[in-house]
Every structure is written in C-alpha cells, then in structure tokens.
C-alpha cells in the first residue's frame, strides 16, 4: 500500500508523434514527386496514371512486409518514405515511351492496334527499367549482409525500400500499360 509507481517517461507519445511525422513526410514527398512529374510531362492524364503507382506500391509493400515478417516501425516507415520518390521512376519511363509511341503512330485505328502499340512501347524500355531498378535495389541489398547491429538498425529500412522498388517495377511493366 505504501508503494507508488509513477512513469517518468512515456515513449508512446514520442513514438506516435514520430510515426505521424514520417507519414506526413511520405505524403509530402509523394505530392512533390507528382508535382515534378506533372511539371516535366505537362499532361494530367499521364501524371495521374503515374501517381497511382505510389499508393499501389506502398500497399503491396505492406503485404510483403507482413509476409516476410518485417514489423511496422519508424525504420520501416522511414524506408517507405525514402522509396516514395523512387517508385515513380519506372512508371515515368514506361508511360513516356507509351505516350511517344501514341504520338508517332496516330491515329489509333482500333483497340488491337492500341494494345500492340502499348506492348511494343513497354518491350522497348523493359530492359532499361529492369536494369535501372535493380541498380537501385543493389544499393540497399548489401545492408542485409552487414554486421548484426547495422542490420538491426537499417535492415528493415533496406528491405522496405527493396520491396517497394521491385513492386513499382512490376506495376510499371504490367499494370500501368493496362
């Protein structure tokens, strides 16, 4: 009855505030990435299609994080925030090449012609998109094989970035052309 337990430090407030800051930074980063794409492409339709790859990559990344046992924490969320600007790269390349093909082969006669044109455009840039994405993945992959302390600190972030980049590549080469 004489014992009183009093918490001097409650980390929950700090952690919640930090998570909100990381999520806000990711949202701001996504908005800025979309703005840059819009300013460089100048087409709202293509920009919106490219912008859809951001939430698609992030949502699918959550699934991979769950499947591979990566917990959602500040480090993994920071990895998502880091990856947000990078996931649009493959989509920009694919969409721009499809757009270029559509401009040079106008008018589109029918849906079959459009499908053929789109497939040729994607096929043309596929090796470059895969090479570019794998180059970025290779920057983060070695962290998995570092000292245990480094891996414990940065491993979740590296895995998150790798998952997001690989998924964005898959989306850019498969779903985006649809």
């Amino acid at each position: 009855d004489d014992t009183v337990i009093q918490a001097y430090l409650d980390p929950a407030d700090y952690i919640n505030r930090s998570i909100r800051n990381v999520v806000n930074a990711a949202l701001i980063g996504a908005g800025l990435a979309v703005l840059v794409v819009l300013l460089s492409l100048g087409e709202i339709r293509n920009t919106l299609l490219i912008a859809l790859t951001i939430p698609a990559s992030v949502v699918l990344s959550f699934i991979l994080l769950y499947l591979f046992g990566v917990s959602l924490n500040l480090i993994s969320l920071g990895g998502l925030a880091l990856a947000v600007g990078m996931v649009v790269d493959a989509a920009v390349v694919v969409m721009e090449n499809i757009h270029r093909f559509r401009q040079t082969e106008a008018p589109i006669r029918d849906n079959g012609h459009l499908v053929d044109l789109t497939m040729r455009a994607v096929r043309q840039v596929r090796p470059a998109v895969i090479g570019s994405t794998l180059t970025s993945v290779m920057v983060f992959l070695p962290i998995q094989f570092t000292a245990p302390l480094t891996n414990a600190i940065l491993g979740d972030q590296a895995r998150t970035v790798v998952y997001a980049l690989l998924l964005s590549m898959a989306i850019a080469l498969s779903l985006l052309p649809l």
Side-chain angles (χ1 to χ4, degrees), residues 75-76 79 82 137 139-144 151 153-164:
I75 303 297
S76 60
L82 176 66
V137 165
V139 170
F140 292 95
L141 202 57
I143 293 174
Q144 302 306 306
N151 190 14
I153 295 171
L154 298 175
D156 286 351
Q157 184 179 48
R159 280 188 288 277
T160 304
V161 172
V162 166
Y163 298 155

Side-chain angles (χ1 to χ4, degrees), residues 30-136:
L32 290 173
V34 169
L35 179 65
V36 167
V37 168
L38 177 63
L39 292 175
S40 63
L41 297 182
E43 293 213 9
I44 292 184
R45 179 181 177 270
N46 290 350
T47 301
L48 290 177
L49 288 171
I50 291 167
L52 287 174
T53 63
I54 297 172
S57 298
V58 169
V59 168
L60 292 173
S61 293
F62 282 127
I63 294 170
L64 283 182
L65 291 173
Y66 175 77
L67 290 176
F68 288 105
V70 177
S71 63
L72 284 180
N73 53 40
L74 287 174
I75 303 297
S76 60
L77 288 174
L80 279 176
L82 176 66
V84 160
M86 297 170 18
V87 298
V88 298
D89 293 347
V92 168
V93 171
V94 170
M95 183 54 76
E96 266 303 290
N97 207 43
I98 292 170
H99 179 72
R100 185 178 62 81
F101 267 61
R102 288 184 76 176
Q103 296 292 1
T104 59
E105 295 201 23
I108 304 297
R109 295 182 301 271
D110 57 18
N111 277 346
H113 181 237
L114 179 61
V115 169
D116 177 61
L117 179 139
T118 302
M119 296 307 291
R120 283 187 291 130
V122 172
R123 241 187 331 267
Q124 186 179 50
V125 295
R126 184 183 301 137
V129 167
I130 291 171
S132 172
T133 302
L134 291 180
T135 301
S136 297

